[in-house]
Amino acid sequence: MGPPNRSTKRNHSVASGAATLAKTGKFGDLKRRLVFLVLALVVYRIGAHIPVPGIDPAQLEQLFKGQQGGILSLFNMFSGGALSRFTVFALGIMPYISASIIMQLMTYVIPTFEQLKKEGEAGRRKITQYTRFGTLGLAIFQSLGIAMALEGQAGLVMSPGFGFRFTAVVSLVAGTMFLMWLGEQITERGLGNGISILIFAGIAAGLPSAVGGLLELVRTGAMNILVAILIVALVILVTYFVVYVERGQRKILVNYARRQVGNKVYGGQSSHLPLKLNMAGVVPPIFASSIILLPTTVVSWVSTGDGTRWLRDIAAMLSPGQ
């Protein structure tokens, strides 16, 4: 037999090098991060099914059926259905997002926070600590408001009073703080931004039921199959367009002047400063949707007398699909 082929040796060397890299290099680290992300999402979905005690599930389901298209439906979507089940993750990660936005605004308004922003890593840690305190305060306020609002619904709370309020506040606040910690852990030990991944997981949790509802409409003949295919195609196109815009950036040319070091003159260099096309992200649409849906929710809670008919007309015009 002749000597082994050089290309065979080279392929074997590349394969063994890839295997070694997979065990000890960045592939191994990627695997660990991916496993941690999956386990974190499993924990998140388990917590979204642990209910807060003291609530009648049948009455709660009737309440949310009457709030379709309101702000509660929006928050329920971001929480992955946890709000409609009134679980320990009912508040979701929204208090943390609100606290983060407030802190970002304060860094431009209050000189003390503006100085912290300029202090680098130490200032960032301090701002993060203040954001956590703000999240705790907002979570307590929102959970207490939800508990009192649920007590106002007849037959919804089994044993109204201080005991239910205390239990609801402690459960909801603990769930929100745990989600905040989980999001930070995903950012540090998982893949991507933890808070964004938790929001995506909450929204994606409703996709199976939505697809099942679409197929059921097609099966019963309530929707034409061509219309269903068109809806799916539009969803894919909109998703592609959103990703395209999100990834879009403008490269600003930056030229550096020549500099002299001793007797040597170094020529100028050029580089690019990437500026994202969508700098604000998804925060403006979220807040705009909340503001638009707020009148619909408030009107549904007030009396149905003739004096509030003009409010109902405004809410109807602001409802989705109008």
Side-chain angles (χ1 to χ4, degrees), residues 50-55 86-91 139-140 142-148 150-151 157-176:
I50 301 177
V52 175
I55 293 292
F86 199 62
T87 67
V88 293
F89 290 166
L91 289 180
I140 293 175
Q142 292 181 8
S143 58
L144 182 60
I146 291 177
M148 296 177 64
L150 293 178
E151 284 184 337
V157 179
M158 298 179 181
S159 300
F162 175 78
F164 169 75
R165 295 180 185 179
F166 179 79
T167 303
V169 169
V170 170
S171 301
L172 295 178
V173 171
T176 297

Side-chain angles (χ1 to χ4, degrees), residues 229-243:
I229 294 176
L230 179 61
I231 292 176
V232 174
L234 286 176
V235 170
I236 295 175
L237 288 176
V238 170
T239 304
Y240 173 80
F241 178 74
V242 170
V243 174

Side-chain angles (χ1 to χ4, degrees), residues 90-148:
L91 289 180
I93 203 65
M94 297 303 292
Y96 179 78
I97 296 177
S98 301
S100 300
I101 295 174
I102 292 173
M103 287 303 303
Q104 290 179 9
L105 293 176
M106 292 177 67
T107 55
Y108 294 99
V109 176
I110 301 179
T112 303
F113 291 99
E114 185 178 2
Q115 184 64 29
L116 283 177
K117 185 179 179 181
K118 298 179 180 178
E119 292 181 1
E121 184 65 22
R124 189 187 66 82
R125 287 198 298 266
K126 201 70 175 179
I127 292 176
T128 302
Q129 184 179 5
Y130 290 151
T131 303
R132 293 169 179 168
F133 289 142
T135 303
L136 178 61
L138 287 176
I140 293 175
F141 176 77
Q142 292 181 8
S143 58
L144 182 60
I146 291 177
M148 296 177 64

Side-chain angles (χ1 to χ4, degrees), residues 303-312:
S303 61
T304 57
D306 294 335
T308 59
R309 184 173 182 179
W310 62 277
L311 284 176
R312 294 198 301 273

